[in-house]
């Protein structure tokens, strides 16, 4: 199993969350003509901002010794590849493509990595439980809180992005 420094894993996770937030904010603008969809992407971006702040707080309070701690994790390579993909200009043409890409992002290795980092360094069990609950709710929003009128792929395909 590969080993990485805790600080490197935190930085990678933080960059991932920041890029996801920026992408979801971009989609809020691209789908501004569909207010409930734009609001969904804005709310999803806000969740990513919370995740980023949690990681920033953790990064700020860890000692140099903790940041240098080796953590065994096989998820880093896949997370780096997905981050590079996330940073590319996505050619999203319709809501189905955005929905599919968001599912790929949210079902990626970043969430287990986020959980690993928080559970390794967060001393309060209640806080860890709260974080896991929030993370699961965030992931579930795509399934349970996405605007119901776009519940089927063909309905999402019909919603084109606003290129203005």
């Amino acid at each position: 199993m590969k080993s990485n420094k805790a600080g490197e894993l935190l930085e990678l996770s933080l960059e991932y969350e920041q890029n996801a937030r920026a992408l979801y904010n971009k989609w809020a603008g691209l789908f501004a003509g569909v207010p409930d969809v734009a609001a969904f992407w804005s709310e999803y971006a806000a969740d990513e901002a919370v995740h980023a702040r949690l990681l920033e707080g953790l990064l700020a309070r860890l000692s140099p010794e903790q940041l240098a701690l080796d953590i065994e994790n096989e998820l880093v390579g896949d997370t780096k590849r997905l981050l590079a993909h996330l940073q590319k200009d996505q050619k999203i043409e319709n809501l189905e493509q955005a929905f599919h890409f968001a599912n790929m992002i949210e079902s990626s290795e970043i969430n287990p990595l986020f959980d690993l980092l928080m559970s390794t360094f967060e001393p309060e069990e209640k806080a860890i439980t709260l974080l896991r609950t929030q993370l699961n709710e965030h992931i579930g929003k795509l399934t349970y809180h996405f605007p119901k009128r776009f519940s089927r792929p063909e309905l999402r395909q019909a919603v084109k992005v606003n290129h203005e």
Side-chain angles (χ1 to χ4, degrees):
M1 188 175 279
K2 288 187 172 186
S3 181
N4 294 87
K5 302 291 182 203
E8 294 168 1
L9 293 176
L10 279 164
E11 292 286 348
L12 175 64
S13 297
L14 178 59
E15 187 175 3
Y16 193 96
E17 298 293 343
Q18 291 168 333
N19 278 270
R21 183 192 73 228
L23 181 64
Y24 296 147
N25 274 327
K26 177 181 175 182
W27 290 352
L30 290 176
F31 294 103
V34 188
D36 53 342
V37 171
F40 176 86
W41 292 127
S42 291
E43 181 181 329
Y44 225 58
D47 286 354
E48 298 298 345
V50 170
H51 302 160
R53 281 194 302 275
L54 289 169
L55 289 166
E56 288 168 339
L58 187 58
L59 196 55
R61 74 175 189 259
L62 292 181
S63 70
E65 293 79 20
Q66 288 172 307
L67 292 172
L69 182 69
D70 283 323
I71 296 180
E72 290 185 2
N73 187 313
E74 295 199 9
L75 306 174
V76 173
D78 291 337
T79 301
K80 285 182 179 178
R81 280 189 288 284
L82 189 54
L83 177 61
H85 189 61
L86 186 60
Q87 291 171 329
K88 289 181 185 175
D89 186 28
Q90 300 303 316
K91 303 295 184 218
I92 299 296
E93 294 296 322
N94 62 54
L95 186 56
E96 173 60 13
Q97 290 173 339
F99 184 84
H100 177 74
F101 194 66
N103 269 305
M104 183 179 71
I105 292 168
E106 298 304 328
S107 63
S108 74
E109 292 78 8
I110 193 61
N111 290 322
L113 180 58
F114 183 88
D115 184 82
L116 171 70
L117 290 167
M118 296 310 271
S119 61
T120 299
F121 294 111
E122 178 55 58
E124 296 292 326
E125 190 61 38
K126 281 185 180 180
I128 294 169
T129 301
L130 182 64
L131 291 169
R132 286 182 177 143
T133 300
Q134 198 277 338
L135 192 58
N136 287 331
E137 287 174 359
H138 172 74
I139 294 166
K141 283 180 184 178
L142 276 170
T143 304
Y144 302 110
H145 297 288
F146 199 78
K148 296 289 183 217
R149 63 192 182 114
F150 300 113
S151 60
R152 297 193 326 263
E154 65 273 12
L155 297 172
R156 292 188 297 267
Q157 287 174 345
V159 180
K160 306 299 182 197
V161 299
N162 180 7
H163 287 290
E164 295 176 7

